[in-house]
């Protein structure tokens, strides 16, 4: 789907003489539509087994989210084997990432949760798993060959390439006489960082022009797709600091490859840029085999590839990623699609809440006017407040009959539906919920990142919902050199391991082991201690979020955890 270009124009009023900068947001599309979702309703020392003294509950650090930095998230992911830069031993490869032992579990859980919620727990949705490389005509019909592009500008001096809709220029206008002394140009970021960068550039510019200390008017940012040639000739490139940027031109995002032994024009094929088209080209196969009646959906989870001009913000925008998409086919008609669209927005939001995204970090971005793809009737994004700003997390589009009609034209095969009751034949319309796996994972990690204080000591942990936590239970034998104790712990571990992904940790002080488990979001730790084997035959189960501990007979542990970890259901 050609992506609507983002138009972000901020007005910022500032004084370079040290007065506090007053921020006047004017037309940020995301900000304008970002509306909070409705709020929903959800013993002993943490360092010691339950038999020891009880400690107070952890002290919450409530403002922690605003202090979360992407560097902290990236570093945690690397340090604990969640996500690594790809090909790191060869200095990495921009826009590509590898999931480590814990990350691959997390990813699997997120995909399973989506599949379970939207396919297995619904009778009106079935799944497919199509090839990644389709007959190239697919992309001609879908419009990707001609239209799947982003606007790009090049810096003629540094040879760096930028997405034109992610670079924002503003005139620097003197307050006293309204004259323009030059331009600043900043990369898209959160408002604060954009203004900070623009301020620095403006300060330099004023100094160069012998106007140090002058007051300037509010920045009027325009992205570079909205700028004329004569203005572009004055806009400094972020690379060279001089006006060395080209005018924007379209850059197709599809990765090309060759199929077969010969490499010529006829062997060109493409890595799919979205999973959706694999669904449309299988519409007839599924309809003919799955005995479905409208409305019905076809879901697919899988890799997608986009040669992004500026992959950025870790796994938020990468060149290889995964998508979870559903094409939900509905009867045609101007008054039919809206309730389906609204229901899918509600179901999507409910899913995101269920897997643990914080309500207050989500919002909506309703595409209107220019922001809407030409064939779409409506599109609403569910946004998320990432540490680098509010951005699209998931899109729910009403695409009319554009796709089936295009593939009917392109393939010469009729992709319609016969309604046995009305005896009518028609092309269904479609609602498309589309969520990036990796973007969802980043939102889940940010959302789960928490800090508090336990016994006066700072603790940072991932408060993952149990359904997506990479490891559900960590089994900790209190000591590693007492054979009966280790044996009892091992037996319990093996019993738990057949049900859930568990970890075994026998090294270090118990408090340190709890911290290790907390940091990667293990919901429960089970400690086997001396009393287990010598006295009560019970173990200590510690809850990650409350640090509360309960003593449970060893034979009841599976049942107890089963209830606590219950998988998400419909
Ligand atoms: N079939 C519709 C479609 O592909 P999209 O808005 O281009 O629409 C849908 O992508 C979702 O895929 C986005 O909301 C985002 O979650 C994810 N996504 C898109 N491009 C991405 C990228 N370069 N890296 C990571 N995730 C991406």
């Amino acid at each position: 789907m050609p992506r609507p270009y983002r138009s972000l124009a901020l007005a910022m009023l500032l004084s370079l003489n040290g007065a506090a900068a007053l921020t006047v947001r004017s037309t940020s599309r995301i900000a304008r539509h970002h509306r909070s979702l409705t709020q929903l309703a959800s013993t002993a020392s943490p360092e010691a087994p339950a038999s020891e003294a009880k400690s107070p509950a952890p002290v919450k650090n409530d403002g922690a989210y605003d202090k979360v930095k992407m560097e902290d998230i990236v570093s945690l992911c690397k340090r604990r084997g969640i996500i690594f830069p790809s090909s790191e031993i060869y200095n990495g490869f921009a826009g590509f990432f590898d999931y480590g032992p814990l990350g691959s579990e997390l990813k699997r859980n997120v995909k399973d949760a989506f599949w379970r919620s939207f396919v297995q727990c619904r009778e009106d949705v079935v799944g497919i798993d199509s090839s990644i490389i389709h007959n190239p005509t697919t992309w001609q019909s879908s419009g990707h060959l001609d239209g799947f592009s982003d606007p790009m500008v090049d810096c003629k001096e540094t040879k760096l390439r930028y997405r034109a809709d992610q670079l924002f220029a503003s005139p620097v206008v003197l307050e006293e006489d309204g004259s323009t002394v030059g331009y600043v140009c900043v990369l898209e970021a959160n408002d604060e960082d954009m203004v900070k960068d623009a301020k620095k550039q403006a300060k330099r510019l004023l100094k160069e022009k012998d106007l140090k200390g002058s007051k300037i008017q509010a920045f009027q940012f325009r992205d570079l797709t909205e700028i004329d040639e004569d203005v572009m000739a004055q806009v400094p490139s972020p690379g060279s600091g001089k006006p060395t940027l080209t005018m924007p031109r379209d850059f197709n995002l599809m990765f090309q490859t060759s199929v077969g032994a010969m490499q010529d024009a006829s062997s060109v094929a493409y890595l799919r840029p979205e999973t959706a088209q694999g669904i449309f080209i299988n519409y007839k196969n599924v309809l003919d085999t799955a005995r479905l009646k409208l409305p019905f959906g076809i879901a697919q989870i899988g890799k997608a590839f986009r040669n992004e001009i500026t992959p950025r913000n870790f796994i938020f925008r990468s060149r290889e990623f995964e998508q979870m998409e559903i094409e939900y086919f509905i009867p045609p008609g101007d008054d039919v699609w809206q309730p389906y669209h609204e229901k899918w927005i509600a179901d999507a939001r409910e899913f995101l809440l269920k897997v643990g995204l914080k309500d207050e970090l989500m919002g909506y971005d309703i595409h209107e006017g220019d922001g809407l793809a030409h064939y779409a009737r409506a599109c609403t994004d569910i946004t998320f407040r990432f540490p680098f700003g509010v951005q699209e997390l998931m899109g729910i589009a009403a695409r009319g009959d554009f796709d089936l009609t295009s593939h009917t034209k392109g393939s010469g095969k009729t992709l319609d539906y016969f309604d046995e009751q009305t005896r009518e034949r028609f092309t269904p319309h479609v609602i498309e919920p589309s969520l990036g796996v990796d973007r969802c994972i980043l939102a889940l990690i940010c959302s789960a990142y928490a800090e508090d204080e336990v016994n006066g000591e700072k603790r940072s942990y991932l408060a993952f919902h149990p359904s997506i936590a990479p490891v559900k239970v960590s089994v900790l034998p209190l000591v590693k050199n007492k054979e009966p104790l280790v044996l009892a712990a091992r037996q319990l571990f093996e019993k738990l391991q057949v049900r859930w992904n568990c970890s075994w940790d026998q090294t270090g002080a118990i408090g340190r082991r709890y911290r290790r488990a907390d940091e990667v979001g293990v919901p429960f730790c089970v400690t086997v201690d001396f009393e287990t084997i010598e006295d009560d035959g019970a173990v200590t189960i510690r809850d990650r979020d409350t640090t509360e501990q309960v003593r449970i007979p060893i034979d009841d542990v599976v049942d107890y955890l089963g209830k606590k970890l219950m998988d998400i259901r419909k």
Side-chain angles (χ1 to χ4, degrees):
M1 173 173 78
R3 281 180 292 183
Y5 301 150
R6 292 193 180 283
S7 166
L8 178 76
L10 305 174
M12 304 290 174
L13 188 68
L14 83 165
S15 155
L16 289 176
N17 290 344
L22 169 66
T23 303
V24 186
R25 272 190 154 279
S26 64
T27 55
S28 163
R29 192 166 66 83
I30 291 258
R32 195 170 60 232
H33 297 294
H34 185 256
R35 303 187 184 120
S36 260
L37 303 178
T38 328
Q39 205 75 36
L40 290 189
S42 138
T43 50
S45 159
E47 320 303 8
S51 46
E52 293 176 25
K54 305 252 171 202
S55 74
V59 180
K60 290 269 172 225
N61 182 354
D62 282 334
Y65 191 76
D66 292 327
K67 293 190 207 119
V68 175
K69 294 197 175 71
M70 274 311 288
E71 300 95 271
D72 299 333
I73 302 281
V74 175
S75 142
L76 171 70
C77 286
K78 169 86 203 300
R79 189 161 27 89
R80 297 306 310 270
I82 301 173
I83 300 161
F84 308 123
S86 178
S87 326
E88 207 183 2
I89 59 166
Y90 295 107
N91 301 321
F93 201 37
F96 297 91
F97 294 91
D98 297 340
Y99 285 74
L102 291 175
S104 54
E105 291 293 335
L106 175 61
K107 199 181 205 189
R108 187 176 290 263
N109 293 342
V110 170
K111 290 192 285 184
D112 283 354
F114 183 91
W115 202 255
R116 179 131 195 87
S117 269
F118 291 122
V119 182
Q120 295 173 342
C121 285
R122 293 181 68 129
E123 286 166 57
D124 58 344
V125 181
V126 294
I128 62 157
D129 187 6
S130 79
S131 63
I132 284 174
I133 297 177
H134 308 326
N135 181 311
T137 315
T138 306
W139 307 112
Q140 188 69 59
S141 303
S142 66
H144 283 78
L145 267 179
D146 296 329
F148 191 62
S149 50
D150 274 338
M152 166 188 81
V153 291
D154 285 308
C155 173
K156 286 176 268 187
E157 193 164 307
T158 60
K159 309 293 174 217
L160 289 173
R161 202 157 252 195
Y162 304 91
R163 244 175 81 175
D165 57 342
Q166 290 174 350
L167 275 186
F168 291 82
S170 166
V172 176
V173 182
L174 291 182
E175 211 170 80
E176 73 189 47
D177 61 2
S179 62
T180 298
V181 289
Y183 283 82
V184 293
C185 180
V186 298
L187 282 166
E188 185 182 10
N190 62 46
D191 299 353
E192 221 176 282
D193 289 348
M194 284 172 71
V195 173
K196 225 158 117 190
D197 193 3
K199 258 180 164 182
K200 259 196 228 155
Q201 290 183 35
K203 211 169 175 175
R204 259 200 317 268
L205 189 67
L206 291 177
K207 199 172 158 199
E208 274 166 30
K209 305 263 174 192
D210 255 348
L211 291 164
K212 206 173 158 192
S214 303
K215 279 191 176 177
I216 60 169
Q217 289 183 8
F219 286 130
Q220 294 292 336
F221 287 114
R222 291 272 170 274
D223 80 49
L224 295 195
T225 60
E226 298 172 20
I227 275 176
D228 302 335
E229 219 160 325
D230 54 329
V231 172
M232 190 67 106
Q234 303 171 62
V235 169
S237 154
S240 67
K242 292 179 259 167
T244 51
L245 291 171
T246 62
M247 283 304 282
R249 60 205 161 95
D250 283 342
F251 172 77
N252 195 297
L253 300 180
M254 281 201 295
F255 277 107
Q256 267 193 30
T257 185
S258 289
V259 174
M262 301 295 288
Q263 288 199 8
D264 56 24
S266 67
S267 70
V268 171
Y270 303 90
L271 303 188
R272 69 179 177 205
E274 62 173 18
T275 55
Q277 298 306 321
I279 298 177
F280 292 121
I281 60 176
N282 276 293
Y283 164 81
K284 196 169 174 343
N285 287 335
V286 176
L287 190 65
D288 289 349
T289 53
R291 300 164 52 82
L292 291 160
K293 287 207 176 350
L294 276 190
F296 69 87
I298 307 177
Q300 167 153 243
I301 298 181
K303 289 272 186 182
F305 303 83
R306 294 182 189 180
N307 196 3
E308 296 283 357
I309 300 164
T310 47
R312 217 143 56 104
N313 291 323
F314 196 34
I315 54 171
F316 174 80
R317 182 176 295 115
S318 49
R319 289 177 165 142
E320 176 177 341
F321 55 99
E322 283 194 72
Q323 286 185 315
M324 306 186 274
E325 298 198 294
I326 299 163
E327 302 305 331
Y328 195 73
F329 300 98
I330 58 170
D334 287 343
D335 50 353
V336 177
W337 61 272
Q338 214 158 354
Y340 287 109
H341 188 233
E342 279 164 18
K343 178 78 172 82
W344 272 105
I345 296 169
D347 287 355
R349 161 186 172 267
E350 194 187 312
F351 168 76
L352 293 167
L353 287 168
K354 255 198 303 199
V355 290
L357 283 192
K358 283 199 187 112
D359 195 19
E360 67 271 23
L361 298 179
M362 286 194 275
Y364 294 120
D365 177 16
I366 300 157
H367 296 217
E368 286 158 342
D370 287 353
L372 204 54
H374 65 280
Y375 49 79
R377 290 174 164 227
C379 184
T380 295
D381 291 341
I382 295 183
T383 59
F384 182 80
R385 184 154 74 86
F386 291 95
F388 45 84
V390 171
Q391 294 283 349
E392 170 187 339
L393 170 63
M394 173 175 195
I396 300 109
R399 295 172 67 113
D401 61 0
F402 173 81
D403 303 274
L404 289 183
T405 304
S406 304
H407 287 299
T408 296
K409 277 191 205 136
S411 66
K413 311 281 183 323
T414 311
L415 304 178
D416 61 8
Y417 180 84
F418 180 65
D419 189 319
E420 278 166 15
Q421 264 182 340
T422 61
R423 313 300 295 166
E424 276 177 331
R425 201 170 270 287
F426 52 81
T427 305
H429 285 207
V430 72
I431 306 290
E432 180 194 68
S434 175
L435 173 62
V437 176
D438 313 76
R439 205 170 278 190
C440 183
I441 286 175
L442 183 57
L444 285 164
I445 294 173
C446 294
S447 200
Y449 192 85
E451 284 178 5
D452 61 10
E453 231 176 66
V454 177
N455 289 346
E457 199 189 302
K458 192 181 147 199
R459 165 180 86 136
S460 59
Y461 63 105
L462 289 175
F464 280 141
H465 186 274
S467 63
I468 59 140
V471 174
K472 314 286 186 210
V473 187
S474 191
V475 177
L476 321 174
L478 188 63
V479 292
K480 60 180 174 193
N481 52 5
K482 176 118 177 137
E483 210 178 301
L485 188 154
V486 174
L487 190 66
R490 197 74 211 166
Q491 280 168 351
L492 177 64
F493 175 68
E494 281 163 16
K495 215 161 123 189
L496 298 176
Q497 207 183 24
V498 294
R499 289 168 176 82
W500 304 290
N501 191 38
C502 300
S503 66
W504 171 264
D505 190 356
Q506 59 176 25
T507 14
I510 199 78
R512 188 176 286 257
R513 283 187 260 170
Y514 285 155
R515 294 289 182 281
R516 273 204 289 265
D518 291 344
E519 206 186 22
V520 293
V522 182
F524 296 100
C525 286
V526 182
T527 304
V528 177
D529 54 30
F530 293 101
E531 284 173 63
T532 312
I533 50 165
E534 289 165 5
D535 182 13
D536 60 1
V539 294
T540 299
I541 300 185
R542 171 189 179 269
D543 180 301
R544 172 199 64 206
D545 300 337
T546 60
T547 74
E548 221 171 74
Q549 301 184 9
V550 288
R551 199 80 187 157
I552 299 283
I554 200 160
D555 290 338
D556 296 348
V557 172
V558 170
D559 277 356
Y560 178 86
L561 289 176
K563 283 193 193 100
K564 291 270 181 188
L565 290 169
M566 206 165 70
D567 213 349
I568 58 164
R569 292 277 173 263
K570 205 175 171 189

